[in-house]
């Protein structure tokens, strides 16, 4: 990647367009204006566009920030108070929808993840492998870029909150995620290479305005768990759920990309995960989850909650994608990406479906 493209990819993105009164109040505050009081988050849909865009924007202050937004606003007390109220609304809904009782164990919850439907019904990776076209794969990559271009970062926040075996194992897996010391092997960079191979814009956060609430929620979940020490068990559960389900899904996505004639960089991202995540699954199961629960057994319910909350939101996203694709449409809010989009900071251009 040349210097100009690299610099462009890592430039803070522009603020997204608001989707309601709550996200409008947040973006106005970040632009330096003085909006009226935002609506109470308790009145917003806990899974809706307005709430999740507002939460995504507030979380992004802890990652790359936004173009023209002062870094000092990361710790603005008013924004943090609003973020806390939004988190309460989101987390409260998740706890109500994903109950955990005393009989649930992390082992059982992880085992449940490995039981797949024989016909692949409800699975995005099965659909893309068997009948997805190149446009649908490009749409999927654009949407998932909000997750994969920062995938390992929120999981790293758990490191100072772990001990002994769990910490050592988590560092080992994260070392692989961050390229094992090689910048060009960082998994976020491999996903950017996949995007470039598919003719997508690789700029960080480029497709936020196109992503529906269901996609934003999957990204917000790992930020929510990562930023709160009290939710460290849930973050480990999230991480375990991702690693346990990654290898078989990655195999299907690699087959899908090969079938439609995608380039080698696109295929490589997923083939890399087939082998790596099969190993990671065992390390996470036995050493990260096992080590955490050995030192802090009271966190088992939190680990189970993290696993099942991850599954809940991924299922919602799958329903959105498959519902749109089976109907011949797109799950993106602004149509599908135009092939060959520039990655040099040029304006976002999307094609009407």
């Amino acid at each position: 990647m040349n210097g100009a493209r690299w610099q462009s990819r890592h430039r803070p993105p522009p603020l997204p367009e608001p989707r309601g009164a709550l996200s409008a109040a947040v973006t106005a505050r970040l632009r330096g204006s003085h909006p009226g009081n935002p609506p109470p988050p308790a009145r917003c849909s806990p899974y809706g566009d307005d709430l999740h865009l507002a939460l995504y924007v507030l979380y992004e202050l802890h990652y790359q920030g936004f173009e023209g937004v002062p870094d000092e606003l990361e710790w603005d007390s008013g924004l943090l108070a609003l973020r806390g109220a939004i988190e309460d609304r989101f987390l409260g809904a998740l706890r109500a929808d994903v109950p955990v009782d005393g009989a649930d164990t992390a082992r059982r919850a992880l085992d449940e993840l490995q039981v797949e439907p024989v016909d692949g019904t409800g699975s995005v990776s099965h659909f893309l492998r068997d009948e997805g076209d190149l446009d649908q794969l490009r749409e999927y990559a654009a949407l998932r870029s909000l997750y994969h271009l920062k995938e390992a970062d929120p999981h790293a926040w758990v490191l100072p909150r772990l001990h002994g075996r769990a910490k050592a194992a988590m560092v080992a897996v994260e070392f692989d995620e961050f390229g094992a010391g090689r910048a060009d092997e960082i998994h976020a960079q491999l996903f950017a290479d996949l995007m470039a191979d598919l003719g997508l814009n690789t700029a960080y956060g480029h497709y936020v305005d196109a992503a529906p609430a269901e996609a934003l929620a999957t990204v917000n979940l790992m930020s929510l768990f990562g930023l709160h020490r009290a939710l460290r068990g849930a973050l480990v559960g999230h991480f375990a759920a991702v690693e346990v389900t990654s290898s078989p899904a990655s195999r299907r996505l690699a087959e899908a990309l090969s079938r439609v004639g995608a380039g080698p960089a696109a295929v490589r991202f997923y083939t890399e995960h087939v082998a790596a995540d099969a190993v990671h699954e065992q390390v996470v199961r036995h050493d990260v989850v096992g080590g955490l629960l050995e030192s802090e057994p009271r966190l088992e319910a939190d680990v189970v909650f993290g696993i099942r909350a991850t599954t809940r939101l991924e299922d919602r996203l799958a329903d959105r994608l498959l519902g749109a694709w089976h109907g011949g449409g797109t799950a993106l809010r602004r149509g599908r990406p135009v092939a060959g989009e520039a990655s040099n900071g040029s304006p976002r251009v999307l094609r009407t479906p």
Side-chain angles (χ1 to χ4, degrees):
M1 179 178 292
N2 64 43
R5 272 187 71 191
W6 180 266
Q7 190 174 48
S8 170
R9 245 197 79 215
H10 295 276
R11 181 184 302 143
L15 279 166
E17 293 298 319
R19 303 183 190 180
L22 184 60
S23 53
V26 169
T27 54
R29 174 69 180 87
L30 296 181
R31 288 190 174 97
S33 60
H34 299 283
N37 292 329
R43 296 181 185 173
C44 298
S45 167
Y47 301 119
D49 275 293
D50 192 24
L51 183 140
H52 276 284
L53 181 64
L55 188 56
Y56 179 92
V57 168
L58 290 168
Y59 281 150
E60 195 57 41
L61 298 176
H62 299 292
Y63 292 101
Q64 301 296 322
F66 293 99
E67 185 179 10
V69 174
D71 290 343
E72 293 77 12
L73 288 179
E74 178 183 3
W75 299 109
D76 178 86
S77 59
L79 291 173
L80 288 174
L82 177 59
R83 195 192 86 191
I86 297 172
E87 288 175 330
D88 287 346
R89 177 66 169 141
F90 180 34
L91 186 58
L94 280 173
R95 290 201 184 279
D97 292 342
V98 188
V100 178
D101 63 39
D104 288 318
T105 66
R107 174 177 291 183
R108 179 187 300 174
L110 290 171
D111 288 344
E112 289 170 354
L113 294 177
Q114 296 185 307
V115 179
E116 295 188 328
V118 175
D119 60 0
T121 301
S123 164
V124 170
S125 61
H126 279 96
F127 174 89
L128 290 173
R129 182 196 64 185
D130 296 339
E131 54 186 298
D133 59 32
L134 182 57
D135 277 347
Q136 288 164 337
L137 282 156
R138 295 179 68 254
E139 176 181 332
Y140 181 73
L143 185 153
R144 295 298 280 184
S145 68
L146 304 180
Y147 182 99
H148 283 302
L149 293 182
K150 64 156 58 82
E151 178 180 2
D153 296 342
H155 295 136
W157 281 326
V158 82
L159 293 175
R161 299 159 183 171
L162 298 176
H163 309 279
R165 183 159 60 100
K167 174 176 280 194
M170 189 75 186
V171 169
V173 177
E174 286 284 270
F175 182 64
D176 287 346
E177 296 289 337
F178 287 116
R182 292 184 55 186
D184 59 341
E185 294 293 319
I186 294 173
H187 286 192
Q189 178 59 54
L190 296 182
F191 195 81
D193 295 341
L194 172 150
M195 296 175 72
D197 214 345
L198 294 176
L200 297 170
N201 191 309
T202 64
Y204 180 89
H206 180 79
Y207 293 103
V208 171
D209 284 331
E214 292 86 352
L216 297 180
T218 65
V219 182
N220 286 339
L221 185 70
M222 61 180 181
S223 298
L224 170 66
F225 291 163
L227 282 166
H228 292 271
R229 186 175 65 85
L231 294 172
R232 62 193 179 279
L235 183 65
V236 167
H238 177 280
F239 186 66
V242 170
E243 295 299 326
V244 166
T245 58
S246 175
S247 185
S250 292
R251 185 185 305 278
R252 290 189 287 268
L253 290 168
E255 291 170 358
L257 287 161
S258 295
R259 179 175 58 77
V260 300
V267 176
R268 187 195 172 204
F269 175 81
Y270 288 110
T271 55
E272 173 79 9
H273 283 71
V274 172
D277 288 347
V279 174
H280 290 171
E281 176 198 341
Q282 298 304 313
V283 175
V284 171
R285 269 179 173 269
H286 299 296
D287 295 317
V288 180
V289 174
L292 173 68
L293 296 182
E294 183 178 81
S295 62
E296 298 188 87
R298 64 185 179 83
L299 295 182
E300 182 141 26
D302 289 344
V303 174
V304 174
F305 172 68
I307 293 167
R308 292 186 176 158
T310 302
T311 301
R312 167 79 173 177
L313 295 185
E314 290 292 340
D315 286 347
R316 285 177 56 84
L317 177 57
D319 289 344
R320 171 77 183 230
L321 288 165
L322 295 174
W325 293 342
H326 284 308
T330 173
L332 299 182
R333 298 177 69 250
R334 295 192 173 184
R336 287 182 176 146
V338 174
E341 286 187 311
S343 297
N344 58 3
S346 56
R348 304 173 190 191
V349 181
L350 294 171
R351 184 181 66 201
T352 302

